[in-house]
Amino acid sequence: MLRWLRRPPPPHAVPNPPPGGIAQPSPGGADPEALLRRLEWTVLRRLDGVLQGSVRTLMRGSGMDLADLREYQLHDDVRHIDWNVTARLQTPHVRVYTEDREMAAWFLLDLSPSVDFGSGPRLKRQVLAEFVAVLARLLTRHGNRVGALLYGGRVEQVIAARAGRRHVLHLLHAIGHRPGPTPSEPVTTRLAELLRAAGHLVHRRSTLFVVSDFISAPGWEQPLAQLASRHEVVAVRLVDPLERELPDLGLMTLRDLESGEQLLVDTHDAGFRQRFAAAAARREDALRQALARAGVDTLELSTEGELGEAIVRFVELRRQRSRLAAGGGMPAHLRKRG
């Protein structure tokens, strides 16, 4: 991931540019109590009025009690097909389970150097911390437990799943006060290591939020699909507009935050900007296809976007898909006619 090194962008191109380029987080990280209090007064209060108890839409428990059998519908989980009933009736049927009231959620957090990038007032790392604060508090208030795996070139810390506001503050403190790599220490992000570690550590079916910009060495697709076969997995993508399209800012020196490699580019060259945008579009298409093949839902969080609105849109999409999977609540004989 590249960042500005020498000539900072003009104010009209990048909001509030600092004197040396893109803003960096404070050495100690944001105060967890102040961050959580601010988000409770802003984002969480609005979500309470909009979601109206739809936390269960965010976390789908596997349940242990068989509640019913019904005919298979499009988008049903094939793992719930009852093959004995299907063989007897010659029509696919699925088992319907009673969901657990108390469930566990895990945050798989990519804190590699590439998330220290942002073209506006916020870095991707700050968006990550705000998302974890809001979701963790939203879930723990309803009796659910949350845990986390912190990755920064390797799995650095595992925070066991617990409930309560104090535990959320502990999680935020761990995110904001972890030591970063030295400038001379190159880091190669390998998301596969984080995903495999989660597969070994999280045994009971849970909801996993993989929070990353997915700028990684290849090989993470299969471990992600394996996790999705055992858990409810949501890929939370951290994005910045500057990663998709470069503005015309003249001659720039860029540096890769992970490898330290520097590159002099002329952003005034329209051909270069077009090639950059085309390469970014190809990467975007490939990433979306990989996430779809893995069978995970995707929530995209931009450094310029509003967190609450993004979460509400995501919940609404999951609601709609759940209604479609259940046939919209229509009787079976009517669904057959359609």
Side-chain angles (χ1 to χ4, degrees), residues 6-332:
R6 297 177 187 166
R7 171 182 160 197
H12 71 272
V14 178
N16 304 320
I22 296 301
Q24 296 298 318
S26 60
D31 176 57
E33 178 66 41
L35 173 63
L36 186 56
R37 190 183 303 115
R38 173 175 64 83
L39 293 171
E40 285 175 335
W41 276 96
T42 55
V43 179
L44 273 168
R45 290 184 68 183
R46 292 205 305 274
L47 289 178
D48 281 339
V50 175
L51 296 183
Q52 293 294 336
S54 294
V55 178
R56 293 170 71 85
T57 309
L58 285 167
M59 297 178 64
R60 301 169 185 163
S62 59
M64 297 303 293
D65 299 325
L66 179 63
D68 197 5
L69 285 168
R70 61 169 172 80
E71 288 188 22
Y72 175 86
Q73 300 292 328
L74 186 64
H75 302 300
D76 276 346
D77 192 334
V78 295
R79 293 169 297 178
H80 295 165
I81 293 178
D82 189 312
W83 295 107
N84 292 329
V85 175
T86 297
R88 287 199 304 269
L89 301 180
Q90 298 299 307
T91 303
H93 277 67
V94 294
R95 297 174 178 176
V96 180
Y97 293 95
T98 301
E99 291 186 339
D100 292 331
R101 291 187 177 273
E102 293 186 6
M103 296 167 284
W106 287 83
F107 296 96
L108 312 186
L109 304 178
D110 173 12
L111 299 172
S112 58
S114 66
V115 300
D116 288 326
F117 179 83
S119 60
R122 293 192 301 170
L123 304 175
K124 289 187 285 185
R125 182 184 298 271
Q126 293 169 308
V127 176
L128 176 149
E130 291 176 2
F131 172 78
V132 172
V134 168
L135 258 292
R137 192 69 189 110
L138 190 65
L139 296 172
T140 54
R141 286 192 310 178
H142 290 79
N144 303 297
R145 296 171 293 113
V146 298
L149 277 72
L150 276 57
Y151 175 88
R154 58 182 176 84
V155 177
E156 300 172 341
Q157 188 175 359
V158 178
I159 300 176
R162 294 188 176 90
R165 191 176 190 275
R166 179 180 297 181
H167 181 62
V168 176
L169 289 173
H170 170 62
L171 203 162
L172 295 177
H173 185 275
I175 294 173
H177 293 77
R178 51 178 293 277
T182 61
S184 60
E185 179 186 358
V187 175
T188 301
T189 302
R190 294 183 175 87
L191 276 181
E193 296 178 3
L194 172 62
L195 301 173
R196 291 194 184 101
H200 292 307
L201 289 169
V202 184
H203 301 293
R204 185 178 179 183
R205 181 172 172 83
S206 306
T207 298
L208 308 184
F209 296 96
V210 184
V211 190
S212 171
D213 54 13
F214 289 89
I215 299 175
S216 166
W220 55 265
E221 296 88 347
Q222 183 178 357
L224 182 63
Q226 290 172 344
L227 276 182
S229 68
R230 297 170 50 196
H231 305 279
E232 183 74 23
V233 179
V234 178
V236 183
R237 291 188 55 203
L238 307 172
V239 299
D240 185 273
L242 209 60
E243 295 171 328
R244 294 173 175 172
E245 186 174 357
L246 287 176
D248 182 358
L249 298 173
L251 199 62
M252 301 294 300
T253 300
L254 308 177
R255 179 170 67 88
D256 189 298
L257 283 172
E258 297 195 350
S259 68
E261 180 183 358
Q262 298 186 22
L263 183 67
L264 184 67
V265 300
D266 184 6
T267 61
H268 184 65
D269 184 348
F272 171 78
R273 296 199 308 273
Q274 291 173 0
R275 292 192 298 274
F276 181 91
R282 289 193 298 271
R283 178 188 177 274
E284 181 78 8
D285 290 342
L287 179 55
R288 290 184 176 180
Q289 291 175 18
L291 293 173
R293 287 194 301 270
V296 301
D297 287 337
T298 303
L299 168 61
E300 186 174 291
L301 299 179
S302 172
T303 55
E304 291 188 345
E306 206 281 321
L307 179 60
E309 293 178 0
I311 294 175
V312 169
R313 286 196 305 269
F314 178 71
V315 169
E316 285 300 322
L317 287 173
R318 287 172 72 98
R319 278 178 181 168
Q320 294 173 14
R321 198 173 70 177
S322 296
R323 286 195 292 266
L324 287 173
M330 297 174 61

